[in-house]
Amino acid sequence: MAAPAVTGPLLKLNNGVEMPALGFGTFANEGSKGETHKAVVHALNAGYRHLDCAWFYQNEEEVGSGIRDFLSQNPSVKRSDIFITTKVWNHLHEPEDVEWSLKDSLKKLQTPYVDVFLIHWPIASEKNADRTVKIGSDGKYVINKSLTENPEPTWRAMEKLYNEGLTRSIGLSNFTEKGIESLLKYATVKPSVNQIEIHPFLPQQPLIEYCLSKSIIPVAYSPLGSQDQVPGTGEKVSTNKDLIVIAEKNGWSLAQVLIAWGLKRGYSVLPKSSNESRIKGNAKLVALSDEDFEAVNNVAEGRWTRFVNMKDTFGYDVWPEESK
Ligand code: A2P
């Protein structure tokens, strides 16, 4: 029996589309075959109604079959009750490739439209004739300099797909304030979201405030801190004593605290898991008291550790000022 929908607050995008604040991340690092399908079915059964996908994750067929199986077993739920995100990868930023990418994702996801389509990274790179990523002699992506510096043609292609109804909104991921500022100068359709890494070790307050001031909703990936360590100190979000105290005194998991913190800050959060009980547990939403909220803010205060930076793979750093 599927649980009732668990959406958290419904966040209204700048074109009126509503997005459930609780989303489910489908990126699977070393996902074995069938794992994403199972995780998506568990997530929908647990009540999640927002699925975060990407062409790059190479598992959209499994997301699609998971949605199809869930919908066929739960006729009271419709496709339109589920908010689906997908993204275009770096080597597909040329306008005709943007269109190809979305259509390829739609085919795999078995849906005629997605709810938001994002530029995955503010980096355009070259492709091979068979639409694979072109890798240079240095082993890194071959950057398309002009389309990286001026993504207007890419954004125009996104706008076209929006106007054609293949996506209900369009947005960004991993964009900086500077990148958004220049895109807003020519955007006819404004980006509705910016999906970025956010957790107490990377609280992102300035970028969150900037996005909200432009009616762009932040969406947090790796809201659980990815279980990674802070270089140099070995600290982890998952073993932070102050965070654990908050979880234990309320009888919650640390993940529940981190999800609640993000929801209280006013954005969407995308926890991911391949484990059924953790998928279910993360969907048991709790509300942080003001005191506990402040206690998490205190942990976050002054911190700036990014766990997800693909600069060594891309050969291009989105945040060069952080490496100085
Ligand atoms: P698993 O799939 O074994 O549950 P993030 O979203 O910050 O990148 O974190 C994702 C990681 O957190 C996954 O590796 C996932 O592992 C783990 N995770 C998800 N939910 C929980 C939870 N409730 N408790 C502990 N670890 C979790």
Side-chain angles (χ1 to χ4, degrees):
M1 240 322 251
V6 183
T7 59
L10 289 173
L11 303 173
K12 201 168 255 207
L13 305 184
N14 54 20
N15 65 351
V17 167
E18 286 185 337
M19 173 175 71
L22 177 71
F24 182 72
T26 66
F27 174 65
N29 232 340
E30 291 135 25
S32 53
K33 208 168 157 26
E35 193 173 287
T36 302
H37 174 100
K38 276 194 254 157
V40 164
V41 173
H42 289 321
L44 291 169
N45 274 321
Y48 295 80
R49 290 293 179 268
H50 170 174
L51 301 172
D52 180 67
C53 318
W55 186 88
F56 177 70
Y57 301 163
Q58 295 183 12
N59 59 3
E60 290 189 308
E61 271 159 357
E62 292 196 19
V63 177
S65 64
I67 296 170
R68 185 201 54 211
D69 284 5
F70 172 80
L71 291 179
S72 68
Q73 282 156 22
N74 296 272
S76 62
V77 186
K78 298 183 292 298
R79 156 65 185 94
S80 56
D81 296 321
I82 306 171
F83 185 98
I84 304 177
T85 303
T86 192
K87 318 182 187 88
V88 58
W89 194 243
N90 307 352
H91 69 308
L92 299 173
H93 281 206
E94 290 289 355
E96 66 274 17
D97 294 326
V98 174
E99 180 168 347
W100 178 87
S101 175
L102 179 56
K103 289 185 172 166
D104 194 52
S105 290
L106 293 177
K107 201 165 47 192
K108 291 173 174 159
L109 292 166
Q110 304 185 38
T111 176
Y113 68 92
V114 288
D115 295 274
V116 67
F117 184 43
L118 310 181
I119 298 182
H120 205 145
W121 285 88
I123 299 167
S125 72
E126 302 293 342
K127 64 174 185 297
N128 296 311
D130 63 353
R131 278 211 173 88
T132 51
V133 175
K134 188 172 204 161
I135 302 295
S137 52
D138 59 356
K140 300 177 194 293
Y141 282 43
V142 180
I143 299 299
N144 176 331
K145 208 162 169 285
S146 78
L147 213 43
T148 299
E149 283 168 7
N150 174 22
E152 182 171 348
T154 307
W155 191 251
R156 291 278 172 258
M158 307 277 292
E159 290 178 333
K160 181 168 171 277
L161 295 166
Y162 172 76
N163 289 324
E164 288 168 357
L166 298 186
T167 181
R168 293 175 73 219
S169 57
I170 50 178
L172 308 169
S173 180
N174 295 301
F175 268 63
T176 61
E177 176 172 335
K178 193 161 157 250
I180 298 172
E181 197 68 35
S182 65
L183 187 134
L184 287 176
K185 293 201 178 82
Y186 54 77
T188 314
V189 181
K190 304 287 179 213
S192 56
V193 308
N194 186 27
Q195 187 180 129
I196 52 176
E197 180 182 344
I198 316 178
H199 45 72
F201 285 9
L202 186 66
Q204 297 268 29
Q205 190 64 26
L207 186 52
I208 290 171
E209 280 171 22
Y210 171 78
C211 287
L212 292 174
S213 77
K214 300 289 176 187
S215 303
I216 298 169
I217 307 263
V219 177
Y221 71 72
S222 286
L224 311 180
S226 280
Q227 326 296 303
D228 273 342
Q229 300 184 357
V230 178
T233 68
E235 276 185 291
K236 283 180 165 192
V237 174
S238 61
T239 54
N240 180 276
K241 284 208 257 352
D242 298 323
L243 296 175
I244 289 171
V245 165
I246 301 165
E248 284 182 349
K249 82 169 191 204
N250 288 291
W252 300 331
S253 70
L254 178 52
Q256 283 175 297
V257 172
L258 298 172
I259 291 164
W261 181 67
L263 297 184
K264 195 158 170 135
R265 292 177 88 208
Y267 48 79
S268 170
V269 287
L270 305 172
K272 60 175 182 287
S273 173
S274 48
N275 172 285
E276 184 179 4
S277 74
R278 287 194 283 277
I279 290 171
K280 277 189 182 157
N282 294 350
K284 294 210 163 34
L285 299 183
V286 298
L288 284 182
S289 66
D290 290 344
E291 185 197 338
D292 288 341
F293 182 64
E294 275 316 311
V296 184
N297 287 341
N298 286 340
V299 171
E301 180 77 36
R303 290 196 190 253
W304 198 268
T305 301
R306 192 182 295 284
F307 294 129
V308 182
N309 190 342
M310 295 185 69
K311 65 177 186 223
D312 296 332
T313 305
F314 296 159
Y316 183 99
D317 193 353
V318 178
W319 305 283
E321 65 287 351
E322 293 179 11
S323 305
K324 280 183 192 143

